[in-house]
Amino acid sequence: MTAAARIHLPEMPEWPAVLTVKEALGYSGLSESELRRRVALGDIVFKAVGPNGCKVCPKSQLDEMIKKIWSEGNGIPPTPVEDLDFGDD
């Protein structure tokens, strides 16, 4: 790993307890389309708060969603072994 590729902890921000959509994207590293999909699935819930209705979600929901993605194998179900048999025998 090159020195430029290393992330130094002092450079990482301290994330607040609730995040805006833009902050959630930066925190999770997900694409906008994947975050939208996870909102549609109910994994993440953004709520409008404050007088201007800024939409935020709890960082803890993002943490749980990230764990769920990793446990799902990136969201792709495993392929059954029998589907790999092309009948070449």
Side-chain angles (χ1 to χ4, degrees):
M1 176 181 282
T2 65
R6 289 190 198 114
I7 297 175
H8 299 285
L9 291 178
E11 296 173 4
M12 295 185 70
E14 290 191 26
W15 298 96
V18 294
L19 304 169
T20 64
V21 172
K22 183 177 178 179
E23 291 169 337
L25 289 168
Y27 177 74
S28 66
L30 296 174
S31 66
E32 287 184 44
S33 61
E34 180 63 16
L35 185 62
R36 275 192 300 264
R37 187 172 85 80
R38 293 293 170 163
V39 168
L41 289 171
D43 291 341
I44 299 293
V45 177
F46 283 91
K47 292 186 179 184
V49 297
N52 295 326
C54 180
K55 291 185 178 180
V56 295
C57 74
K59 183 175 76 71
S60 59
Q61 279 187 3
L62 289 168
D63 292 335
E64 289 303 314
M65 180 202 54
I66 291 166
K67 288 178 191 174
K68 183 177 178 181
I69 289 172
W70 280 98
S71 68
E72 293 173 348
N74 295 328
I76 302 170
T79 304
V81 175
E82 56 268 12
D83 285 353
L84 300 175
D85 181 11
F86 299 108
D88 295 336
D89 294 336

